[in-house]
Amino acid sequence: MPAGAVIVAAGTGSRMGRPKQFLPLRGRPMLDWTLETFLGMAEFERLVVVLAPETLREHGDRLRSERVRVVEGGLTRMGSVRNGLSALGPEIDLVAVHDGARPLVSREVALACLKAAAETGAALPGVPVKDTLKEVRSPQLWVHATPERSAYWLAQTPQCYRRSVLEGALEKFSDDKDATDESQLVERAGHRVRVVPSTYENIKVTTPEDLAVAGAFLDSRWGAARRESRTGFGFDIHRLVEGRPLWLAGLRLAHPKGLLGHSDGDVVLHAACDAVLGASGLGEIGQMFPPEDPTIKGIESRRIVARVLENIASKNLELLHLDITLVAEEPKLKPQYAALIESLQSLWRLSAGRVNLKAKSHEGLGEIGRGEAIACYAVATVAFP
Ligand code: MG
């Protein structure tokens, strides 16, 4: 049976101040996580995202693709579902209806519901209620009764239906403006609905604290690799002169010349600092240590590195990786690779494999080629919370 999904994201965010489906969740709009999960299931031939007019204008083009149609929502949830269904195409006869604000839906749950709906006509994911339920009817909040908890399940999405079952129920109760899920209409139309055991992870993000919970679930599912990361670039060049010690990557190297500068002239650390500050959106090294500041005269560049690390830590940022290209005619640096990399790992508190170093000559060209200067390029990757 060809299957399609309608992802309903037409809410206006009355409880979150703005459309919740587009609130950032680990660096991406929440809806993008939801859509990605469905795009990863080839079983769904066609996906329709239903948006409110404002968000459709802003995000419609970005979300559309060969498999994804984007349509405008109706005045009620059921109106939106109806619009989504009509955009699915006539070949689709098995339909999943999913809340755009459930970004943690798993493949396993979605496919189990789809399979159950193919067999029975209607199935929804659910979890048993954990807390004791109280029935409260009075405005003074007196407890009216304590229902038998074991009989109650929380309904989630994607709710899956044979298309004829869902369309029949929507048509029959087309004047129902208050239905909060499709299943209640299908039930009222006399069709049995099967519950498929789901997970408590598949939450609906409704209030601000739900976003924090969803973020924590995403972290545990994907690990730190799925956090937002940003890239920064840094460059530095210093003159190579007689009578100065040569400091590179925090190491003092034996060489008759050294780098000229207000500090120790360590081009590697300076380029790396600028790359890290760039990725972190914190400007540049010159703003943190103005060259005219007398206290930086002769400052060890390792102290600049420590300050940069403190700065990014105070913003909850984490340096993930440094890639460094040194350009020097002399000294020959390849024999020193291991020591230089170890020094960088230690200064930047990076574990093994998180520093890459390359050294190039300048083929005898220009100032660097004549051995009058050493330059360095650096690229840093920083993870955002
Ligand atoms: Mg410098």
Side-chain angles (χ1 to χ4, degrees), residues 17-352:
R18 59 181 164 133
K20 64 186 174 197
Q21 296 86 358
F22 292 93
L23 287 174
L25 174 61
R26 292 297 183 265
R28 320 165 67 188
M30 187 181 358
L31 181 64
D32 290 35
W33 291 105
T34 311
L35 186 57
E36 186 183 89
T37 299
F38 277 89
L39 282 168
M41 293 184 279
E43 288 81 355
F44 293 98
E45 290 176 19
R46 172 75 63 188
L47 306 172
V48 176
V49 179
V50 187
L51 298 180
E54 318 82 73
T55 48
L56 179 69
R57 272 192 296 279
E58 196 181 335
H59 297 275
D61 288 344
R62 182 175 73 77
L63 297 172
R64 264 185 208 102
S65 69
E66 213 176 306
R67 267 172 81 201
V68 181
R69 287 185 187 166
V70 183
V71 299
E72 195 173 308
L75 292 174
T76 61
R77 180 187 171 93
M78 293 310 139
S80 294
V81 172
R82 238 178 259 120
N83 289 2
L85 274 175
S86 51
L88 266 182
E91 74 284 6
I92 302 295
D93 47 21
L94 202 54
V95 179
V97 181
H98 187 66
D99 297 326
R102 286 190 197 269
L104 289 149
V105 58
S106 69
R107 281 176 64 85
E108 291 72 26
V109 166
L111 294 178
C113 282
L114 199 63
K115 186 163 175 275
E119 290 162 7
T120 67
L124 61 85
V127 285
V129 171
K130 290 187 198 173
D131 296 319
T132 300
L133 289 170
K134 296 293 175 190
E135 188 176 341
V136 179
R137 291 169 181 270
S138 76
Q140 294 80 24
L141 303 184
W142 298 110
V143 171
H144 177 75
T146 302
E148 170 60 37
R149 181 179 64 186
S150 63
Y152 287 87
W153 287 59
L154 299 172
Q156 303 175 342
T157 70
Q159 300 191 349
C160 300
Y161 306 94
R162 267 191 230 123
R163 186 173 186 156
S164 54
V165 170
L166 179 58
E167 282 181 339
L170 286 173
E171 200 171 316
K172 192 164 181 184
F173 302 107
S174 59
D175 55 345
D176 190 318
K177 295 187 172 37
D178 303 320
T180 51
D181 75 348
E182 297 68 48
S183 167
Q184 56 199 267
L185 302 184
V186 171
E187 295 156 41
R188 269 164 57 197
H191 204 290
R192 296 218 298 167
V193 180
R194 161 76 57 80
V195 173
V196 173
S198 177
T199 66
Y200 290 95
E201 264 192 26
N202 186 17
I203 60 167
K204 185 174 187 181
V205 177
T206 306
T207 53
E209 67 273 13
D210 295 335
L211 259 186
V213 174
F217 279 141
L218 272 181
D219 287 349
S220 69
R221 187 182 291 184
W222 298 109
R226 294 300 288 251
R227 276 185 293 166
E228 181 186 4
S229 65
R230 295 185 192 170
T231 305
F233 176 73
F235 167 78
D236 199 21
I237 184 167
H238 281 253
R239 281 177 197 278
L240 197 55
V241 297
E242 304 276 353
R244 290 264 300 180
L246 177 62
W247 287 92
L248 286 177
L251 288 186
R252 187 170 171 174
L253 303 184
H255 193 62
K257 294 179 184 173
L259 293 171
L260 192 63
H262 301 282
S263 65
D264 58 18
D266 192 327
V267 279
V268 178
L269 296 187
H270 296 178
C273 283
D274 264 354
V276 172
L277 291 170
S280 309
L282 293 171
E284 53 147 309
I285 198 172
Q287 288 165 258
M288 202 175 282
F289 295 91
E292 61 274 16
D293 179 350
T295 63
I296 72 144
K297 193 164 161 43
I299 189 175
E300 290 182 325
S301 296
R302 58 173 60 235
R303 285 179 46 211
I304 303 179
V305 171
R307 272 278 290 282
V308 169
L309 279 176
E310 277 166 28
N311 246 289
I312 68 165
S314 74
K315 303 226 164 350
N316 280 325
L317 308 181
E318 184 193 355
L319 178 61
L320 295 180
H321 186 257
L322 281 173
D323 184 25
I324 289 176
T325 301
L326 252 168
V327 192
E329 213 64 22
E330 55 169 19
K332 293 295 170 229
L333 293 164
K334 291 207 165 59
Q336 324 258 16
Y337 267 13
L340 291 165
I341 288 173
E342 199 178 308
S343 173
L344 285 167
Q345 279 171 187
S346 144
L347 287 173
W348 287 103
R349 294 184 215 134
L350 287 167
S351 52

